């Protein structure tokens, strides 16, 4: 996989801002509110890097296996801790199963998750499932295609009217 080493420092900054938000959130400092921006930035940056690196080129199965091999160990470790040390107020087996399968944030009741801190891993898993389909659709809209030109002309037409 191709890498963009210059973006590693940006990933660090985004992660640090999120960590500061979690560590100092009770103090209500202005910098603490940037944690939400850090999460969004991290997701956008990850999507850009995965698309730029064309990570689905080796095949969808390889892509999904590699992505979930990175997500699942962290999720399983935090789920084991959450099961031993009651983090969430519930012990519903359905919520446990959703956390185990990384699907807890795929619906409106994600706040009821057995392991609420892993909502972002669940969101990443959802994105990883969508990415191969999105890349396939985007490849149809290459810069020279008439459909891409039509879409871009419609996107910017309010600027000229």
């Amino acid at each position: 996989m191709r890498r963009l080493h210059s973006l590693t420092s940006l990933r660090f900054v985004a992660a640090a801002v999120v960590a500061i938000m979690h560590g100092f959130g009770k103090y209500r400092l202005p910098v603490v509110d940037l944690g939400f921006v850090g999460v969004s930035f991290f997701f956008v940056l990850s999507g850009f890097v995965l698309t730029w690196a064309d990570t689905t080129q080796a095949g969808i199965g390889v892509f999904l296996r590699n992505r979930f091999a990175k997500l699942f160990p962290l999720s399983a470790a935090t789920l084991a801790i959450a099961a031993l040390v009651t983090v969430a107020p519930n012990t519903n087996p359905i919520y446990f199963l959703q956390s185990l399968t990384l699907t807890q944030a795929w619906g409106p009741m994600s706040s009821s998750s057995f392991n609420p801190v892993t909502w972002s891993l669940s969101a990443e898993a959802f994105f990883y499932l969508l990415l191969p389909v999105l890349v396939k659709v985007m490849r149809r809209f290459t810069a020279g295609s008439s459909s891409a030109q039509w879409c871009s002309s419609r996107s910017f037409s309010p600027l000229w009217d």
Side-chain angles (χ1 to χ4, degrees):
M1 180 171 95
R2 299 183 333 174
R3 298 196 182 274
L4 285 172
H5 295 289
S6 59
L7 297 179
T8 302
S9 60
L10 294 176
R11 291 179 57 177
F12 173 79
V13 170
V17 169
V18 172
I20 289 169
M21 179 188 74
H22 284 293
F24 299 99
K26 65 182 177 185
Y27 298 112
R28 300 311 236 171
L29 302 171
V31 71
V32 172
D33 291 336
L34 293 176
F36 299 104
V37 175
V39 170
S40 297
F41 179 75
F42 199 87
F43 283 156
V44 169
L45 184 61
S46 295
F48 170 76
V49 169
L50 288 172
T51 304
W52 176 84
D54 197 13
T55 53
T56 61
Q57 188 176 19
I60 294 172
V62 172
F63 168 76
L64 292 175
R65 184 191 71 223
N66 290 344
R67 294 291 100 202
F68 285 97
K70 288 186 175 209
L71 282 184
F72 189 75
L74 179 59
S75 177
T78 59
L79 183 60
I81 293 168
L84 295 173
V85 180
T86 308
V87 175
N90 64 66
T91 56
N92 186 323
I94 297 295
Y95 295 149
F96 181 85
L97 185 60
Q98 287 174 331
S99 292
L100 183 63
T101 59
L102 291 169
T103 58
Q104 72 271 27
W106 295 13
M109 298 303 292
S110 63
S111 61
S112 301
S113 171
F114 188 88
N115 190 12
V117 298
T118 59
W119 71 269
S120 61
L121 297 178
S122 176
E124 275 188 78
F126 185 73
F127 171 73
Y128 292 156
L129 286 174
L130 287 180
L131 184 67
V133 175
L134 294 173
V135 167
K136 189 174 186 174
V137 169
M138 287 185 330
R139 282 188 180 141
R140 292 186 182 182
F141 293 99
T142 60
S145 74
S146 59
S147 52
Q149 291 169 358
W150 183 85
C151 288
S152 64
S153 70
R154 297 302 174 255
S155 299
F156 296 113
S157 62
L159 297 176
W160 295 305
D161 290 341

